[in-house]
Amino acid sequence: MKTAALMLGVAAGMVMATAGVVAMYPDVSRRMMRDSKRALRCGKRAVGKFGHMFS
């Protein structure tokens, strides 16, 4: 039961912190989406290059 309460508190804290940052800086969410898409593309490319080294 203590673990569930701790996890719930951590999740609530993360939500509150994210809401606070987005309220102060509205463009942060757009930047995070853009940067995460870029990171996924770069990650896929790196995995592809790494896979070709062993084939």
Side-chain angles (χ1 to χ4, degrees):
M1 189 66 182
K2 289 182 184 180
T3 304
L6 178 66
M7 290 177 66
L8 184 62
V10 168
M14 288 172 58
V15 168
M16 290 173 52
T18 302
V21 169
V22 169
M24 289 189 297
Y25 305 104
D27 64 329
V28 168
S29 58
R30 288 191 298 268
R31 289 182 186 185
M32 285 179 16
M33 288 297 293
R34 180 194 67 205
D35 293 344
S36 65
K37 288 178 185 177
R38 184 180 303 155
L40 283 174
R41 280 195 307 266
C42 291
K44 285 181 184 177
R45 194 174 305 131
V47 168
K49 288 181 181 178
F50 190 70
H52 289 302
M53 288 176 24
F54 294 109
S55 55

